[in-house]
Amino acid sequence: MAFRKAVKGTLIGGGAVATAFGLSQFFEYKKNQAQLAYVEAQGELKVPFKDALPTREEQLSTLRKTEEFDVLVVGGGATGSGCALDAVTRNLKTALVERSDFSSGTSSRSTKLIHGGVRYLQKAIMKLDYEQYMMVKEALHERANLLNIAPHLSAPLPIMLPVYKWWQLPYYWAGIKMYDLVAGSQCLKSSYVLSKSKALELFPMLKKDKLVGAIVYYDGQHNDSRMNLAIALTAARHGAAIANYTEVVHLLKKPDPKTGQEKVCGAHCRDIITGQEFDIRAKCVINATGPFTDSLRKMDNQKTADICQPSAGVHIVIPGYYSPDNMGLLDPATSDGRVIFFLPWEKMTIAGTTDTPTEVTAHPIPVEDDINFILSEVRNYLSPDVEVRRGDVLAAWSGIRPLVTDPNSKDTQSICRNHIVNISDSGLITIAGGKWTTYRSMAEETLDAAIKAHNLSGGPSRTVGLMLDGGKDWTPTLYIRLVQDYGLENEVAQHLAATYGGRAFEVAKMAQVTGKRWPIVGKRLVSEFPYIESEVQYAVKEYACTAIDVIARRTRLGFLNVQAADEALPLIVEIMGKELQWTEQKKKEELEAAKNFLHLEMGYKACSEQLSKTTEISLTASEIARYKKRFYKFDKESKGFITTVDVQQVLEKLSIHIDENALHEILNEVDLNKNGQVELDEFLQLMCAVQRGQISDSRLAILMKTVEEGLDLRGPVSVDRSGGGV
């Protein structure tokens, strides 16, 4: 009864709000219809490279040989790629350079949501902030457009907001209904209220104690780096000359014939792969470098003031069993006032994010304090029956948000992630701030400003409703054709369809025969994930230049499980080496660089520290005795350490064979001082960390326990990862 009254009391207020915003919704609808009518009236755009993309070498040749571009975009993130697509579809001669890989920065390290920003709407209402309201409204429009133009990479996601106090139910319900209302006709699905029992039915891991009910609303979710890449590739197919691993050394300038003032007219660039340098001349240069915005602005003018204040956001990935397959969770008020999302993603669970001031770096590293903060907040909302272990963290990363700063602001949390378009005295166009969801509208506004400032002959934007690469030929049942036509595993086919859309057939055609009855084609890179070898070959066609590009951005293996990515690296490097004619030395360098990336940027470092920091062995005397007994079953000579030879000798007696390289990897996970052997103290530290939950499913611990307990060893002992993390 109280539940119904709490909801009913908000209806009158909700009706008043509906009336207040109705007029703005009408005008927004008319504006959207006018944009779509323009796109339709222009007919289909010409796509010069519809079937095959130019190679990276051909793109670089175009950049070097073109006398002058209309637009040169610096930065290959979501915003920069969006600017290139907007420009080229206005029939402007367009170039784009990125000093690393497409989406290598913030755009691949997001919360994976396509959303308007519930918390920004709350601030807009509470503070009567019209600017924040318009930002949410714009984002909700862009959310609908992005879900429409890349249906293979994105989908609506229901998100649950659990309520633990009766008075919060009508308060949150009114706010979420307002969110639906602002979206208007572009509302994905209407939000709804759940009773306690229904909430627990849909999200059984939820903490039951004091739960009143829940509210479910809808936002979008996507594969962010693949989405970014799709935008860039779409621009390339429409004729834009784009190149990754091409950095701007300095800006080119020439005097204005009328005023004599120095004006930016291009950039001197360096191909990082070959070291070759060349000039790219353009009527207009757009700075879309995200957190590095001020670096390029200072190339233009050393005295210019900074306009960005970077903020670090850490995310973690934990096993999929921590959340339902199709229901996210929102913690609207953490212990320090931040917002935490807890979302299913790629059959895993992603949790984040933090929001702390940071220094700008190309290689942000997740810190242990932030990882533990997220885990602590997750524990607050999950049932005590669900043990949230530090060892279950499969990957962790940090992304730098390029927030537009207010010099008077005390912290980054109060800053609205809106964007600004700035034109310097020399004509450099800078687009800064904003959020992933609004990349398209930001690009449109930037190109409008560029056309006006530089008298370019471009028409209105044509990117509303423009399908991204792979989206046009995608259908929800496309994966069935992949299974039937090529003999792929069902899971692999679904993955290819959801990653490449209509271009999945190109990847399937490259897949190698397995030699098995089923699947017929499609050799996996690692057993737990549906990524196959032909994706590495196809990644090269998508301008992948390094092994990191493959594990982090063409596939998402590094973001999902760093141990699995580490295991797949030798094969990935070998395949790329054949495609790109790498020398043995180059292969070695690529393998080392990718391992370093996983170690520092994807959370492997935090994993090793969990064990090395466990110097105090807090085990009882009986536990120590038990683990010593287990250890000495392998250390027959009581040397105080074991090696791969010791382990192999025990396994041979039991007729068990494990590959020597695999065995070396298993011991290396525990070998803290890296001397090629596992000492007794290291083993006891491992078992202590396992008991504390800092490490889960250690392969060495499982192997030694299985042998000790004398299980039925007629079959092989499984030493595969079973969800253990970093």
Side-chain angles (χ1 to χ4, degrees):
M1 189 68 178
F3 178 83
R4 293 179 179 176
K5 286 182 178 179
V7 176
K8 188 176 180 181
T10 63
L11 293 177
I12 297 176
V17 167
T19 303
F21 287 99
L23 193 59
S24 66
Q25 290 296 333
F26 174 75
F27 286 119
E28 182 69 18
Y29 171 79
K30 297 296 287 184
K31 176 186 174 184
N32 293 340
Q33 291 301 307
Q35 280 186 303
L36 290 169
Y38 170 79
V39 173
E40 186 176 354
Q42 293 300 306
E44 286 203 17
L45 290 162
K46 292 182 180 179
V47 186
F49 304 106
K50 184 177 181 180
D51 296 323
L53 284 166
T55 64
R56 182 174 181 274
E57 290 69 27
E58 290 170 340
Q59 295 280 32
L60 286 167
S61 177
T62 301
L63 290 172
R64 288 193 299 267
K65 294 178 180 179
T66 300
E67 184 176 343
E68 185 181 50
F69 288 94
D70 292 318
V71 174
L72 167 61
V73 181
V74 183
T79 304
S81 299
C83 286
L85 179 58
D86 192 280
V88 75
T89 52
R90 298 190 196 212
N91 296 318
L92 295 173
K93 193 178 293 184
T94 305
L96 179 147
V97 293
E98 160 60 48
R99 73 174 180 182
S100 187
D101 187 26
F102 304 112
S103 192
S104 60
T106 308
S107 296
S108 64
R109 303 171 190 237
S110 72
T111 312
K112 323 303 178 193
L113 285 178
I114 309 171
H115 63 133
V118 174
R119 60 173 171 159
Y120 298 128
L121 182 60
Q122 180 190 26
K123 290 180 181 180
I125 295 171
M126 299 300 290
K127 298 179 181 180
L128 298 178
D129 189 331
Y130 183 72
E131 181 186 1
Q132 291 220 42
Y133 162 72
M134 289 306 297
M135 186 192 76
V136 174
K137 188 174 181 61
E138 175 187 54
L140 289 171
H141 165 66
E142 294 301 323
R143 178 188 70 178
N145 183 67
L146 196 49
L147 288 166
N148 180 53
I149 64 177
H152 59 305
L153 292 170
S154 59
L157 176 71
I159 300 175
M160 181 182 292
L161 196 163
V163 179
Y164 288 91
K165 296 179 181 178
W166 279 109
W167 69 265
Q168 290 180 334
L169 194 61
Y171 173 75
Y172 286 138
W173 184 85
I176 294 298
K177 276 301 173 186
M178 175 73 76
Y179 194 59
D180 291 348
L181 190 65
V182 174
S185 61
Q186 295 171 327
C187 178
L188 301 180
K189 290 184 181 179
S190 183
S191 58
Y192 54 91
V193 179
L194 292 173
S195 64
K196 176 179 178 178
S197 60
K198 191 64 177 177
L200 291 172
E201 180 183 332
L202 293 175
F203 208 117
M205 308 84 173
L206 205 57
K207 184 173 72 175
K208 304 174 185 177
D209 188 34
K210 297 181 181 179
L211 181 67
V212 171
I215 301 167
V216 175
Y217 72 98
Y218 287 80
D219 257 326
Q221 189 178 52
H222 68 155
N223 185 336
D224 53 3
S225 70
R226 292 294 316 184
M227 185 73 80
N228 191 156
L229 185 64
I231 299 166
L233 295 180
T234 306
R237 291 191 187 279
H238 280 83
I242 67 173
N244 53 354
Y245 294 98
T246 305
E247 67 175 342
V248 172
V249 179
H250 60 81
L251 295 173
L252 303 176
K253 292 187 177 182
K254 65 180 180 181
D256 187 294
K258 297 179 180 178
T259 64
Q261 186 178 7
E262 290 284 299
K263 295 289 185 181
V264 173
C265 63
H268 182 71
C269 299
R270 178 190 297 119
D271 177 2
I272 293 175
I273 304 295
T274 64
Q276 185 178 14
E277 298 190 11
F278 54 92
D279 289 342
I280 301 175
R281 299 199 173 271
K283 298 173 184 175
C284 168
V285 176
I286 294 175
N287 173 13
T289 52
F292 300 94
T293 291
D294 291 319
S295 298
L296 197 66
R297 280 165 51 81
K298 289 184 186 299
M299 275 190 193
D300 177 33
N301 179 3
Q302 280 291 332
K303 297 180 181 179
T304 192
D306 291 348
I307 61 172
C308 278
Q309 181 174 329
S311 168
V314 171
H315 295 82
I316 64 172
V317 169
I318 52 183
Y321 54 69
Y322 274 101
S323 66
D325 292 338
N326 193 37
M327 179 69 74
L329 188 73
L330 168 64
D331 178 357
T334 62
S335 56
D336 65 351
R338 292 183 279 196
V339 170
I340 290 285
F341 285 99
F342 190 67
L343 311 166
W345 182 67
E346 298 287 321
K347 297 188 178 179
M348 296 293 175
T349 301
I350 182 172
T353 177
T354 58
D355 189 2
T356 52
T358 187
E359 297 296 320
V360 174
T361 173
H363 308 287
I365 298 171
V367 297
E368 190 62 26
D369 286 347
D370 285 336
I371 292 172
N372 285 324
F373 166 78
I374 296 171
L375 287 172
S376 177
E377 293 301 323
V378 168
R379 289 187 188 103
N380 290 338
Y381 273 86
L382 295 188
S383 169
D385 297 339
V386 180
E387 183 184 358
V388 182
R389 304 178 296 182
R390 172 60 182 83
D392 281 337
V393 178
L394 303 172
W397 69 86
S398 176
I400 300 178
R401 303 183 190 91
L403 307 185
V404 179
T405 185
D406 176 355
N408 300 317
S409 176
K410 295 180 181 179
D411 62 79
T412 58
Q413 291 168 245
S414 63
I415 297 175
C416 175
R417 266 190 289 178
N418 213 339
H419 64 272
I420 63 167
V421 177
N422 175 265
I423 305 175
S424 72
D425 292 339
S426 64
L428 176 68
I429 310 285
T430 294
I431 171 66
K435 52 208 294 284
W436 220 120
T437 307
T438 58
Y439 84 90
R440 192 213 63 82
S441 59
M442 291 163 59
E444 179 182 346
E445 185 179 333
T446 304
L447 265 297
D448 286 344
I451 288 170
K452 183 177 180 181
H454 293 274
N455 296 315
L456 304 177
S457 57
S461 176
R462 302 182 63 181
T463 51
V464 172
L466 179 68
M467 299 298 288
L468 297 184
D469 196 50
K472 186 176 181 181
D473 298 321
W474 177 86
T475 66
T477 57
L478 182 145
Y479 76 95
I480 297 175
R481 288 177 54 199
L482 291 170
V483 174
Q484 294 175 336
D485 294 353
Y486 295 95
L488 288 162
E489 289 178 79
N490 188 62
E491 184 185 12
V492 170
Q494 288 179 327
H495 153 69
L496 294 181
T499 303
Y500 304 95
R503 302 206 176 268
F505 294 98
E506 297 176 25
V507 183
K509 287 176 184 176
M510 300 169 70
Q512 294 185 353
V513 176
T514 64
K516 301 177 182 178
R517 183 184 64 79
W518 190 264
I520 298 172
V521 301
K523 294 181 180 179
R524 295 193 182 210
L525 293 172
V526 285
S527 59
E528 306 100 303
F529 292 90
Y531 301 112
I532 58 176
E533 293 180 10
S534 62
E535 290 184 78
V536 182
Q537 297 170 277
Y538 193 75
V540 174
K541 297 181 182 294
E542 295 181 319
Y543 306 127
C545 299
T546 70
I548 297 173
D549 297 344
V550 173
I551 61 173
R553 294 173 285 273
R554 301 311 184 278
T555 73
R556 307 313 307 273
L557 196 52
F559 279 77
L560 293 170
N561 190 316
V562 293
Q563 289 188 21
D566 184 69
E567 183 181 308
L569 272 175
L571 179 56
I572 290 171
V573 169
E574 194 62 35
I575 295 170
M576 292 191 76
K578 290 179 182 178
E579 295 292 318
L580 297 170
Q581 287 81 52
W582 286 346
T583 63
E584 289 302 315
Q585 179 60 29
K586 175 63 175 174
K587 291 179 187 177
K588 185 177 179 181
E589 291 171 359
E590 281 295 320
L591 190 61
E592 187 63 30
K595 284 181 175 290
N596 190 56
F597 167 79
L598 293 174
H599 182 71
L600 294 176
E601 297 184 52
M602 290 291 112
Y604 230 160
K605 180 173 183 286
C607 168
S608 61
E609 288 177 347
Q610 285 303 299
L611 191 55
S612 62
K613 287 181 179 178
T614 318
T615 53
E616 180 183 349
I617 302 172
S618 55
L619 297 169
T620 65
S622 62
E623 288 171 337
I624 291 176
R626 185 170 81 248
Y627 294 138
K628 279 186 175 181
K629 179 183 177 184
R630 184 178 302 171
F631 184 83
Y632 286 121
K633 284 186 179 295
F634 292 83
D635 181 18
K636 296 289 187 181
E637 300 173 3
S638 300
K639 306 183 299 294
F641 63 86
I642 59 174
T643 64
T644 55
V645 175
D646 295 319
V647 178
Q648 279 180 328
Q649 286 176 349
V650 175
L651 295 178
E652 283 174 4
K653 291 179 181 179
L654 301 168
S655 301
I656 301 170
H657 174 73
I658 296 178
D659 180 73
E660 185 177 351
N661 291 329
L663 201 56
H664 176 75
E665 287 181 10
I666 291 170
L667 265 67
N668 192 53
E669 292 172 2
V670 186
D671 180 12
L672 302 179
N673 52 19
K674 303 304 177 189
N675 61 356
Q677 58 196 33
V678 175
E679 296 159 8
L680 176 60
D681 281 351
E682 290 174 327
F683 178 67
L684 293 177
Q685 287 174 342
L686 167 67
M687 299 315 299
C688 184
V690 169
Q691 286 199 178
R692 289 178 175 178
Q694 293 172 307
I695 292 176
S696 64
D697 298 319
S698 162
R699 292 191 281 177
L700 181 63
I702 292 172
L703 176 64
M704 294 178 74
K705 180 182 178 183
T706 303
V707 171
E708 184 195 43
E709 292 177 350
L711 297 175
D712 182 4
L713 298 177
R714 286 176 295 179
V717 177
S718 174
V719 292
D720 289 338
R721 290 175 308 276
S722 56
V726 301

